[in-house]
Each structure stands twice: as C-alpha cells, then as structure tokens.
Amino acid sequence: MKVKKAVLPVAGFGTRFLPATKSSSKEMLPLVDKPLIHYAVKDAIDAGIEQIIFITGRGKRAIEDYFDISFELEYHLKFHGKEDLIQDMRQISDMADFVYVRQKEPKGLGHAVLRAKDVVGGEPFAVILADDVVENKISGTKQLVDVFDRYHCSVLGLEEVPKEDVSKYGIVSGKEIENGLFKLDNFVEKPKPENAPSNTAIIGRYIFTPKIFEELEKTSIGKGNEIQLTDAILSLSKKEVIYGKILEGKRFDCGSKFGFLEATVEFALKDKEIGKEFKEYLKGVVEC
Ligand code: G1P
C-alpha cells in the first residue's frame, strides 16, 4: 500500500516565538516569502502524498486561508494585470486535498496524531512537523517513503545531535543494518543526557502503519504531562519492526529562534531574486 496521506499537527501555541505568536500561528512565520507550513506541505507533496490532514486548534484560521482560494486577492491581482501571480496563488491551493481536524485541548503530539484516526483509516501515513525544515534534493518525507516501500514498516527520520541536546528530542537506539538505516529497539522522549540510550534523535518526519492508533489509544500521560508519540512508538515496537533513517540534507530547527534565523539567512542567500544582494549586505554587516 502506498503512503498517500500526511498528518500535520499545527495546534501548538508557539510559545518560543511569543509575542509574535500571540495572535498568529507560528507555522505562518515566513522563511523569506513562504510560511513554514508551505515547506512542510511541499515536503509531503514531493513524496507523492495527496491528502494533507491538519490537526488545528484555536487561532489557526490563517493556515486554512493560506491553502484556500482567495477570490478577493485574485480579483485585485486581475484588476492590476498581475495574471502570473494569480497562477502562483492557485498553485498553492491546488497542491493537495486539505482536511482540517480540531484538537480541542493541547494534550501533546500523540494526542494530536490520534485525532487523525478516522480520516486516515486503515492506511499507512506520514506525520510531518513543520518546525523541522529539511533541505535536500530528495524531500525528508520521500526519503522515509522509500524505506517504507521496501519494508512496509513504520520509519522515523533521524539525526545525530550533540549529547547536551538530547533532552530536546525523542531519542532512539538500535542496530544499523545498512549505511544510515537502523532497526530500532528503544525510544525515550526527551531524556536527560545521562539516561539517553544514544544521541540519535527523532526529527519531525515519520511514516506509520495504522497500528500506531491502537497504541496511541492506550498511551497514558507521559513527559511534560502530555500524551507522547514517542511512548506509543515504543509500544508499537513490541509488535512490529520500526526502522529509522538518518535523513540526508540539512535540517533547520525552526521551532527555535536560532534555527529559524539560520534557515532565514540560508534561504535568503539562495533566493534567485535577492540572494546576491543579500550576500553583499551580510558581508558588510559582519565586517563591522
Ligand atoms: C517533538 C517530539 C520529539 C521529536 C521532536 C522533533 O518534540 O515529541 O520526540 O524529537 O518533535 O522535532 P517537540 O519539538 O514538539 O517538543
């Protein structure tokens, strides 16, 4: 069975970006001229995903509007002879079939993913966290879908992180079966460095078999008083093989201010329109 659906949890408060996120969604923060959520949806589409299931919450209307058709904007653009921009805007709403499910209470990532159970049904599906932007020729989700197509098992996107950072991530351990591909056997959500099974972190790309929903239903409150996806993965690993793949490319942690600024600078430097000028500007600033 092919992976055709992706779940994108977007109900979080974005507290690390307050006050910017007090009245708008952190997923709408732009890297140059596209919001973070655009890159996450593109990551899915490049992996052959056809349906995007957003798990939303209060104050997330901007995401719905972004992926919808805006008649007023199109009318305005047409009036000013900007037909090419109309096409660009239409391409956004044509990217996929978009479905919205509300997470009524912020009870954690595991709780958010479980909200998608009825829409996903009995199919394998991807989970994409928009905070993690993966820059690579082959999208992060596609790299995992390729492993899923070989083994038909759940697959997690991984990255080696510095030992002092393990408490920010779900940490795994397992056996490397080929370069960068692991059969995983342990999963711990945000351990202290002294208790971490390794320094290999789960980053925001996952493929699951639908069995994960049964485990999520049984998962009780964990780290940070939330229902943790990592705890459900640990339970699933007792029943099915779980693979992990070190993702190729560069990952930006856009959930942190520093990571977001790194991504902004690097994306701006590569931008066709402003890249050259921005580079010159940066040189001047750094020399001062
Ligand atoms: C979540 C997951 C964690 C994972 C991380 C990747 O944490 O709970 O296991 O390693 O995403 O970015 P969060 O960043 O939402 O605290």
Side-chain angles (χ1 to χ4, degrees):
M1 217 177 198
K2 289 277 174 203
V3 183
K4 295 281 178 206
K5 299 183 177 186
V7 175
L8 276 68
V10 294
F13 285 119
T15 43
R16 281 188 278 178
F17 281 94
L18 281 170
T21 48
K22 190 178 170 204
S23 57
S24 71
S25 163
K26 91 173 155 176
E27 293 81 11
M28 291 304 292
L29 294 172
L31 289 181
V32 187
D33 57 2
K34 291 183 205 75
L36 286 176
I37 196 67
H38 185 111
Y39 295 94
V41 169
K42 178 85 173 41
D43 199 279
I45 303 307
D46 289 348
I49 301 282
E50 293 170 0
Q51 186 178 63
I52 301 289
I53 304 157
F54 288 110
I55 311 300
T56 69
R58 292 172 69 79
K60 299 287 176 166
R61 259 289 297 280
I63 296 176
E64 291 175 42
D65 288 343
Y66 184 78
F67 291 104
D68 202 357
I69 293 170
S70 170
F71 287 105
E72 299 91 329
L73 176 64
E74 288 187 5
Y75 178 84
H76 174 86
L77 292 173
K78 198 162 181 202
F79 189 77
H80 290 280
K82 296 181 173 165
E83 259 80 11
D84 48 335
L85 266 178
I86 298 180
Q87 290 309 316
D88 292 352
M89 295 306 105
R90 276 284 168 135
Q91 269 171 21
I92 298 171
S93 48
D94 287 345
M95 277 169 107
D97 174 30
F98 298 103
V99 177
Y100 299 86
V101 178
R102 286 283 275 230
Q103 183 186 15
K104 291 181 220 158
E105 297 167 276
K107 287 192 186 166
L109 181 59
H111 179 258
V113 172
L114 184 54
R115 296 302 101 215
K117 183 181 172 213
D118 291 344
V119 185
V120 169
E123 295 181 30
F125 65 102
V127 171
I128 298 175
L129 307 183
D131 277 359
D132 285 321
V133 174
V134 178
E135 247 256 310
N136 193 52
K137 226 169 41 235
I138 303 175
S139 89
T141 309
K142 169 84 172 119
Q143 294 179 46
L144 301 190
V145 164
D146 288 345
V147 177
F148 177 85
D149 287 343
R150 279 167 69 192
Y151 298 103
H152 305 284
C153 290
S154 299
V155 196
L156 316 182
L158 304 177
E159 184 181 281
E160 308 279 344
V161 297
K163 193 83 185 159
E164 63 272 19
D165 285 346
V166 292
S167 57
K168 296 182 190 160
Y169 298 95
I171 300 295
V172 300
S173 62
K175 189 166 175 277
E176 190 163 16
I177 55 168
E178 63 184 62
N179 196 15
L181 184 65
F182 293 79
K183 261 188 185 173
L184 301 174
D185 54 29
N186 201 6
F187 310 80
V188 189
E189 180 67 8
K190 304 195 173 100
K192 289 192 178 134
E194 58 272 27
N195 301 328
S198 75
N199 64 334
T200 307
I202 307 171
I203 62 157
R205 300 291 180 279
Y206 311 74
I207 306 290
F208 290 114
T209 65
K211 278 253 186 257
I212 191 71
F213 292 123
E214 287 170 32
E215 303 312 318
L216 282 168
E217 275 166 341
K218 289 184 272 180
T219 302
S220 37
I221 303 282
K223 195 95 189 180
N225 256 332
E226 293 185 334
I227 296 175
Q228 294 296 347
L229 183 57
T230 306
D231 293 344
I233 300 172
L234 175 65
S235 314
L236 184 64
S237 72
K238 314 283 182 213
K239 295 166 187 166
E240 293 183 348
V241 178
I242 313 251
Y243 288 89
K245 162 104 176 72
I246 302 277
L247 286 182
E248 284 160 31
K250 184 156 186 182
R251 197 244 340 174
F252 297 95
D253 173 14
C254 292
S256 76
K257 282 181 203 169
F258 194 85
F260 180 78
L261 290 174
E262 274 181 312
T264 300
V265 169
E266 295 206 19
F267 279 56
L269 286 171
K270 283 188 195 144
D271 189 88
K272 282 197 194 98
E273 204 183 310
I274 59 155
K276 260 175 116 176
E277 197 187 342
F278 186 62
K279 189 173 182 180
E280 289 312 310
Y281 163 76
L282 272 190
K283 277 188 199 160
V285 174
V286 172
E287 274 161 19
C288 290

